[in-house]
Amino acid sequence: MAKFVPVEPFDLVIFGGTGDLAMRKLLPSLFHRDIDDQISDDSRIVAVSRREMSHEAFIETVQSALRRFLPEGHFDESVWQRFASRLSYYAVDVLEEDGWGELAGAVGAHTDRVRVFYLATAPQLFGPIATALGRHELQHGQTRIVLEKPVGSDLESARAVNGAVGAVFSEDQVYRIDHYLGKESVQNLLALRFSNSLFEPLWRRGTVDHVEITVAEDIGVGTRGEFYDRTGALVDMVQNHLLQLLCLVAMEPPAGLDPAQIRGEKLKVLRALRPITELDVEASTVRGQYRRGAVHGEAVSGYGEETGIESSSTETFVAIKAMIDNWRWADVPFYLRTGKRLPMKTSHIVVQFSPVAHSIFPPQTGRPEPNQLTIRLQPDEGVTLSLMTKEPGPGGFNLRSLPLNLTFSEQFHVRYPDAYERLLMEVLRGNQALFMHREEVESAWAWIDDVRNGWEQRGQPVVPYAAGTWGPTDSALLVGRDERRWLDPTE
């Protein structure tokens, strides 16, 4: 069983330190790592935001957030006292000069330890914050900067952000975070593919019929309505999460686990993605927006009612047929699907293998079904491989598909760190393997911009779908035209 290894002393500065991400994810993740003794006694966690707040008020806010967002029974009073002693708060308007001097004085003294600046802010502030950090000489050899997604809103803005940050920090100091890359099952893709001789010879055209990647949410946009309406599902989910999953499924074997080697292979996949332009955007993509319906038996409002933007043309659902033009994956479709207000919260990758070339079994025994490898990312992380077998008993020779099931929670009887916990520790260790390179981000944006431009030029409409369904019927038709269908996790 893997053991938790403590990290070296550090100063972690969270810009946006009173925001939703910090309170809901970052601070609870750090608290969990403190429970497991991964954080050294003299490490410091510094929160920064514009809000004027006393140190005592901030401590109370954090305690309240931990009690609210940690799983039941995980708040440990003795650990809290230790954790609280690490915390401090500074009010800084990052676009003004006030407050920067005090922050620099507090953080800049320790030049002999790892220093991490986590930018849990709007992307348009990434450049100004990096510039200010350079101006106040807070960058040194062991300094790292973490950028939350999205990095920019299109290729042009992403280049501007990367340029501004790159003017102060070298590329090996920049950590562009996508929390999906921290999930146990996502990382297990590397082990599944490259440590099992069973799979790698089959992981290619000829033996793989198609690949499906689904990230489904049962919630609506909630309080993110104003932000989401400027973004949409394509940018919010496909540009980062789904394309990163696609890269890990499709990439060539790296020479080793060196971060540069892994990121280099992912970049090759992004550059091999066939552009989706105005000529084929209608045949290769579906846009949808949820209307009133029922999720888990409860009636829910439509997107327009929930956001108050009744005439919005922002998509809350996207389905895409993506093609990778290289030797391994030529003519193998990758079907991507994501949406809000779907029947359940689930994320999975399905590798559908080709059917047997010839069945020796008579029709009455049942038709051999193609083998299917399903990697479950949430809610129950694990791997399932379907195999054909004979039904036992004296009733004749009947075929049946049965799963070989590896569920991580059942096999490993320990709570393993969640995505943000793992990624935060990897930043502190200086391991960039689970983070995106500048060129990855820009290549992903170039592909996404083609899709958006195609939608605009063709005037592709947003198709309504009832909340609680698997999206517009056009999504089923997208794969149905190829005589395929989406996996239904409820079946």
Side-chain angles (χ1 to χ4, degrees), residues 247 264-275 324-325 437 439-440 443-444 447:
C247 286
E265 296 301 337
K266 289 162 57 185
L267 181 59
K268 291 177 185 176
V269 174
L270 290 170
R271 289 175 171 171
L273 278 172
R274 184 182 300 172
I324 301 173
D325 291 331
H437 190 274
E439 292 185 43
E440 281 184 76
S443 293
W447 193 75

Side-chain angles (χ1 to χ4, degrees), residues 290-295 298-302 305 341 467-468:
Y290 64 85
R291 299 291 189 260
R292 288 185 184 183
V295 180
E298 295 186 8
V300 296
S301 301
E305 299 165 291
R341 288 293 190 209

Side-chain angles (χ1 to χ4, degrees), residues 44-97:
R44 298 188 300 169
I45 301 168
V46 180
V48 178
S49 88
R50 290 184 301 175
R51 186 186 309 178
E52 292 292 339
M53 181 185 297
S54 68
H55 174 76
E56 293 73 21
F58 176 71
I59 296 297
E60 291 179 5
T61 300
V62 174
Q63 184 182 38
S64 175
L66 293 178
R67 292 184 182 277
R68 178 181 177 189
F69 295 121
L70 286 172
E72 186 175 354
H74 283 225
F75 185 84
D76 186 310
E77 190 66 44
S78 62
V79 176
W80 163 245
Q81 297 302 320
R82 181 175 70 200
F83 188 74
S85 69
R86 308 183 190 285
L87 300 174
S88 58
Y89 178 80
Y90 291 88
V92 178
D93 185 339
V94 297
L95 297 179
E96 304 293 337
E97 192 59 31

